[in-house]
Amino acid sequence: MKTFSARVEDYLSLRRSLGCRLIGQAVLLRDFGRFLDRAMDGGTITTEVVIRWAQAPQSKDPDQTARRLGAVRGFLRYQAGFDGVTEVPPPGLLGCGIRRKPPHIYSCDEVQDLLRACGRLEPRGGLRPHTCRTLFSLLLATGLRISEALHLEDSDVDLEAGVLTVRDGKFGKTRLVPIHPTASPPLRRYVRHRDRVMPRGSAFFRWEGQPRLAYFHVRTAFIKLRRRLGWTPDGRSRQPRIHDLRHTMAVSCLVRWYKEGISPDRRIAHLATYLGHVEVRDTYWYMSAVPELASIASERFARFATGAPEERS
């Protein structure tokens, strides 16, 4: 008889064969499998046992147990299809667990401070300051995920056509991302400097000693910059993160549309495609998560309710 850990691996293999990555979820599922192997002797998985595992960690996050439960429900349905007796806890038993904390939206001053601080990274005049400044600028200009930017090869960056090829993005998708003409000259300058300092390598973003950057390398540099700038959660929706550069690009685009009298409903599918969102609802989330957008949306609804002219497309 297979162990529960082995059954979890079978489930992960099946899901991945269907195109799912399940990186974070796989960690929880494997922990769940080990827990079941310790707590049970091949018996029936009950709701009581599942809840015991979900509530095991001590956390100040009130949604953690609900997220843990949600992460294993798919496996439990899979297991129930084989034995017919595995209990699958109903959705929402421990809460929804899907509340997303509002992102931090960088102000223009914060963006300028961040990019200036990149120039003070060590080694001065080396490749790391130029790489960080160019990388963060690209995230702000395109809304790429940090993982997508770090996976760019030289061959993926066509500065003549002004197009990036994002390969194997989230959910294994590949897409073309046009860049604004003003973004090409800084990228060319970065390439020239990079090739003088570190001529060998195929990854677009690299620095001394790291021909291919991992998220860890960039996050370590960003944390150092954040500390130097004194950025804390105080007075903000959260402590600024690298991923918030992507959020800032998306929100800036929506705000600009509102101010130009353009209906986001008619353009949001374009933005969702550009950002690589699988569902448009992921892009609509910004309207409720960001106070400025929520305020603008309320004003737009008020104009609609009073019969004001509809925005142009």
Side-chain angles (χ1 to χ4, degrees):
M1 179 181 293
K2 283 189 174 182
T3 64
F4 288 111
S5 293
R7 297 175 201 178
V8 165
E9 293 301 326
D10 290 343
Y11 172 73
L12 290 172
S13 296
L14 174 63
R15 292 293 305 278
R16 284 170 174 158
S17 71
L18 298 174
C20 301
R21 291 190 175 183
L22 304 175
I23 298 174
Q25 191 174 1
V27 174
L28 290 175
L29 283 167
R30 287 176 174 136
D31 182 73
F32 182 54
R34 291 190 294 268
F35 170 83
L36 293 177
D37 289 335
R38 293 192 306 268
M40 303 173 59
D41 187 20
T44 300
I45 303 176
T46 64
T47 297
E48 180 184 359
V49 170
V50 177
I51 292 177
R52 182 149 45 96
W53 172 81
Q55 294 178 332
Q58 298 297 319
S59 173
K60 295 180 180 179
D61 184 353
D63 296 325
Q64 185 189 62
T65 55
R67 285 196 297 270
R68 285 168 62 85
L69 180 60
V72 301
R73 288 188 71 255
F75 166 72
L76 294 172
R77 290 195 298 269
Y78 166 85
Q79 179 64 24
F82 288 98
D83 62 24
V85 294
T86 292
E87 296 181 4
V88 182
L93 181 63
L94 298 177
C96 66
I98 58 173
R99 285 179 290 183
R100 296 171 64 180
K101 194 171 183 178
H104 170 71
I105 304 304
Y106 288 88
S107 67
C108 291
D109 288 342
E110 286 176 328
V111 168
Q112 292 174 2
D113 290 343
L114 175 63
L115 299 183
R116 279 195 295 266
C118 288
R120 296 192 291 273
L121 287 171
E122 299 293 340
R124 297 290 181 91
L127 190 51
R128 185 182 312 226
H130 288 267
T131 296
C132 285
R133 183 167 55 241
T134 305
L135 173 61
F136 296 153
S137 296
L138 186 65
L139 298 182
L140 281 162
T142 62
L144 290 182
R145 300 177 179 92
I146 180 62
S147 60
E148 294 172 341
L150 294 180
H151 286 153
L152 288 173
E153 301 281 334
D154 274 342
S155 58
D156 297 328
V157 182
D158 187 342
L159 297 180
E160 294 300 322
V163 175
L164 308 178
T165 301
V166 176
R167 304 182 190 279
D168 196 27
K170 196 170 184 180
F171 303 110
K173 302 294 184 180
T174 295
R175 71 185 190 280
L176 299 178
V177 178
I179 59 176
H180 195 273
T182 58
S184 293
L187 290 172
R188 286 194 181 94
R189 289 194 294 271
Y190 169 71
V191 170
R192 288 195 297 268
H193 181 73
R194 182 202 67 188
D195 290 347
R196 285 195 301 268
V197 176
M198 193 176 182
R200 295 184 179 179
S202 61
F204 188 79
F205 289 110
R206 51 188 190 263
W207 63 49
E208 296 90 344
Q210 298 297 339
R212 182 171 298 278
L213 297 178
Y215 174 65
F216 166 78
H217 301 126
V218 180
R219 183 174 182 272
T220 299
F222 179 82
I223 290 175
K224 184 179 295 185
L225 294 170
R226 188 171 62 189
R227 288 172 179 165
R228 288 180 180 177
L229 292 168
W231 289 350
T232 68
D234 296 340
R236 298 178 169 92
S237 59
R238 67 186 308 156
Q239 191 171 38
R241 307 166 301 162
I242 295 175
H243 195 61
D244 290 322
L245 297 170
R246 170 176 164 88
H247 293 316
T248 299
M249 177 273 177
V251 169
S252 297
C253 183
L254 291 168
V255 170
R256 185 172 67 253
W257 285 346
Y258 273 122
K259 290 181 177 178
E260 292 175 357
I262 298 172
S263 173
D265 291 334
R266 299 180 181 180
R267 298 281 186 88
I268 202 163
H270 300 165
L271 180 58
T273 301
Y274 189 83
L275 292 172
H277 283 161
V278 175
E279 298 186 34
V280 175
R281 70 181 181 185
D282 294 329
T283 316
Y284 270 113
W285 170 75
Y286 289 111
M287 294 185 180
S288 61
V290 179
E292 183 178 5
L293 281 176
S295 175
I296 294 174
S298 297
E299 293 174 4
R300 180 168 174 258
F301 178 78
R303 291 196 302 271
F304 167 79
T306 57
E310 185 179 355
E311 297 108 331
R312 65 180 183 275
S313 61

